[in-house]
Amino acid sequence: MSHIVTVQQAVTTFADWIEPTDAELDAIEREMPVILADVDLLDAQIVTLDRTPTELDNRRIRRARRRALAARVALLNGGTASAGGAA
């Protein structure tokens, strides 16, 4: 019979390393406009899952896709983009 041993000591030993570093938090902050633009795009696409998309739905998806691409380009170029801006 083999006994199950707890690994509590091993887990709590490395607890300080689990938290994100300042550099990782800064990277997340820089990528936040891209993340929010992707969420807007997903929201626009989810609306059309159970029905035939209308022209308004298609425009909303195209607009959200353009915002997501613009946010990615801005991130790659080192600038900032607002995810909620009008396009």
Side-chain angles (χ1 to χ4, degrees):
M1 172 191 266
S2 62
H3 297 282
I4 299 174
V5 233
T6 181
V7 291
Q8 181 67 31
Q9 181 60 35
V11 171
T12 54
T13 303
F14 296 107
D16 292 338
W17 301 104
I18 293 174
E19 295 296 321
T21 64
D22 289 338
E24 290 170 333
L25 290 174
D26 290 341
I28 292 170
E29 188 67 31
R30 279 192 310 273
E31 294 174 8
M32 192 53 68
V34 174
I35 294 167
L36 293 175
D38 284 343
V39 168
D40 288 343
L41 176 58
L42 284 172
D43 285 344
Q45 291 171 336
I46 287 171
V47 167
T48 64
L49 285 179
D50 62 345
R51 66 175 190 208
T52 304
T54 64
E55 182 58 33
L56 181 63
D57 293 329
N58 288 331
R59 279 189 270 165
R60 187 176 293 133
I61 291 171
R62 282 193 309 265
R63 214 174 310 126
R65 189 173 290 132
R66 281 195 304 266
R67 276 193 223 116
L69 289 173
R72 281 188 171 81
V73 168
L75 179 66
L76 289 174
N77 289 335
T80 59
S82 61

